[in-house]
Amino acid sequence: MLIKRKRGWEVAERDATPESTYMNRRSLVKALAAGPLLAMGGGLAGCWDEATASNPPQIVDVPPDPSAHLYPVQRNLRYKVERQITDEADATTYNNFYEFGSHKSISIAAQALKIRPWTVTFDGMVEKPVSIGIDDLLKQMPLEERVYRHRCVEAWSMIVPWSGFPMAKLVELAKPLSSAKYIKMQTFQDPEIAPGQKQHWYPWPYVEGLTMAEATNELAFMVTGVYGKPVPRQMGAPLRLAVPWKYGFKHIKSIVRFTFTDKRPVSFWEEIQGAEYGFWANVNPKVNHPRWSQATERTLSGPRVPTQLYNGYTEYVADMYKDIKGENLFI
Ligand SMILES: Nc1nc2c(c(=O)[nH]1)N[C@H]1C(S)=C(S)[C@@H](COP(=O)(O)O)O[C@H]1N2
Ligand SMILES: [Mo]
């Protein structure tokens, strides 16, 4: 049964076991060998702390990213944040990427992801289905940096300098038919490198969806880099989504397919537990998760702060939802 199992990200921070946080290579290998325990317990969910920040897991022997020469790119100053950017060591070692484990310490395991060759397919309701290599795609897209807030549904948050390009540009390239209403996005599937995908109770591959209006909203951003470098594997290399007014689980990682459709896609977490993780998933401090409050959030490098409606992006996005009735826009 899918929903009986308590998953890591459902553990409220205050419920999480304080455990030894720093995992070196050897203890990680041991942890992976103890896979079923980790998968069941979710006890590592709140395991980030100062020790991780000052002593992050070291990533060694990973093939270089051939897009490295493209970064850093110029920051777009239109998107302002009120707090400091989260330390890179925190953002790159405290991750949700269930393909590599249902806990936060997947940064080493995710290095198994092969990011070249990487082909992205556009299909469904498009003029003509096409597949394109990531490096060809990067050549055609105008790269910029945007500092965005990121709010996970688990009530932790960070502020991240993403690099990438507007999703609207990607939609333009894909040439959807006017009948297309949604975009369904899909993560790679390869259980040989992503052990989480052997956990057959999850509905792999990870899928997410947006309406066409959302995908072409100016905030919707395709991420290819972060902290002035290519986006690392644990954060969703080589192509990941950022929709900062929505909860983190909408930010699908390591995308291989965009399918244009007139049927609303059912996303990974919606399939598992739709009453807790819906299609819209817009941030709202007044609408609690069925099992915890969404009023405040724990920033990765700093204090607990109030959560903002639409994660602080109301002026950009509220109009898209004004005519939608009878749906919970905030779950
Ligand atoms: N494919 C895939 N994408 C994913 C996830 C995942 O498990 N698999 N987790 C999501 C969640 S819950 C969050 S909060 C963000 C975390 O991104 P980060 O690890 O870069 O902070 O990725 C999202 N994208
Ligand atoms: Mo999340």
Side-chain angles (χ1 to χ4, degrees):
M1 283 291 295
L2 295 177
I3 58 175
K4 290 270 161 63
R5 210 171 278 265
K6 194 171 186 185
R7 289 172 300 277
W9 81 338
E10 297 181 337
V11 178
E13 296 292 343
R14 64 182 177 282
D15 295 334
T17 339
E19 298 194 29
S20 155
T21 63
Y22 170 63
M23 292 188 108
N24 61 25
R25 213 170 234 287
R26 225 177 324 126
S27 60
L28 182 89
V29 171
K30 275 196 226 145
L32 288 178
L37 277 177
L38 284 182
M40 303 265 311
L44 289 169
C47 77
W48 179 90
D49 76 1
E50 296 304 325
T52 313
S54 58
N55 205 0
Q58 294 302 310
I59 290 167
V60 291
D61 296 339
V62 180
D65 188 312
S67 69
H69 64 283
L70 297 174
Y71 306 94
V73 291
Q74 183 145 36
R75 183 171 298 176
N76 183 338
L77 295 171
R78 181 168 159 78
Y79 308 102
K80 303 237 187 298
V81 294
E82 64 295 322
R83 294 191 309 275
Q84 273 190 354
I85 288 176
T86 299
D87 292 346
E88 181 178 351
D90 295 339
T92 56
T93 57
Y94 184 88
N95 302 102
N96 272 332
F97 203 166
Y98 273 58
E99 284 81 347
F100 294 100
S102 46
H103 54 90
K104 299 292 184 278
S105 302
I106 54 77
S107 62
I108 301 283
Q111 303 314 307
L113 180 60
K114 290 185 193 64
I115 55 171
R116 294 294 186 288
W118 191 276
T119 306
V120 181
T121 298
F122 301 96
D123 62 7
M125 296 174 139
V126 290
E127 280 179 21
K128 186 169 165 274
V130 289
S131 291
I132 177 172
I134 186 70
D135 294 304
D136 282 343
L137 180 65
L138 281 167
K139 266 187 218 144
Q140 296 179 46
M141 292 292 136
L143 296 183
E144 62 182 56
E145 182 179 76
R146 294 188 184 187
V147 181
Y148 277 171
R149 288 178 286 272
H150 176 97
R151 172 60 158 81
C152 174
V153 73
E154 300 165 307
W156 58 267
S157 71
M158 57 184 183
I159 293 184
V160 192
W162 301 118
S163 306
F165 54 88
M167 190 173 189
K169 295 282 180 198
L170 188 109
V171 171
E172 212 175 282
L173 182 86
K175 299 194 179 70
L177 304 177
S178 57
S179 47
K181 295 197 170 77
Y182 301 93
I183 305 184
K184 174 180 166 183
M185 292 155 278
Q186 193 179 308
T187 296
F188 76 91
Q189 181 151 23
D190 185 353
E192 290 313 308
I193 60 137
Q197 292 184 330
K198 290 184 176 161
Q199 299 180 321
H200 48 81
W201 53 87
Y202 289 116
W204 306 113
Y206 200 100
V207 163
E208 260 305 337
L210 294 172
T211 64
M212 292 298 291
E214 290 174 330
T216 54
N217 182 279
E218 69 163 276
L219 288 181
F221 198 56
M222 297 311 311
V223 169
T224 59
V226 69
Y227 294 99
K229 288 174 273 197
V231 66
R233 289 159 176 80
Q234 66 271 30
M235 292 186 88
L239 187 66
R240 169 250 176 93
L241 178 67
V243 277
W245 70 99
K246 290 179 179 285
Y247 288 117
F249 66 86
K250 299 291 293 185
H251 299 220
I252 182 172
K253 295 179 168 181
S254 304
I255 303 169
V256 295
R257 183 181 295 269
F258 296 84
T259 303
F260 294 80
T261 166
D262 57 3
K263 290 182 195 60
R264 190 201 282 187
V266 179
S267 47
F268 180 81
W269 285 106
E270 188 182 9
E271 172 99 30
I272 294 168
Q273 184 52 286
E276 301 189 358
Y277 313 106
F279 173 78
W280 299 103
N282 296 310
V283 176
N284 188 334
K286 296 200 171 124
V287 180
N288 289 334
H289 185 276
R291 289 178 290 119
W292 58 83
S293 165
Q294 295 293 27
T296 64
E297 60 203 54
R298 180 181 62 88
T299 62
L300 284 195
S301 315
R304 185 165 279 279
V305 298
T307 288
Q308 304 176 62
L309 181 60
Y310 291 111
N311 201 20
Y313 296 102
T314 301
E315 60 181 304
Y316 299 98
V317 299
D319 266 6
M320 292 191 288
Y321 305 109
K322 64 181 190 310
D323 297 327
I324 300 179
K325 305 275 181 272
E327 303 232 11
N328 192 338
L329 293 169
F330 305 106
I331 288 279

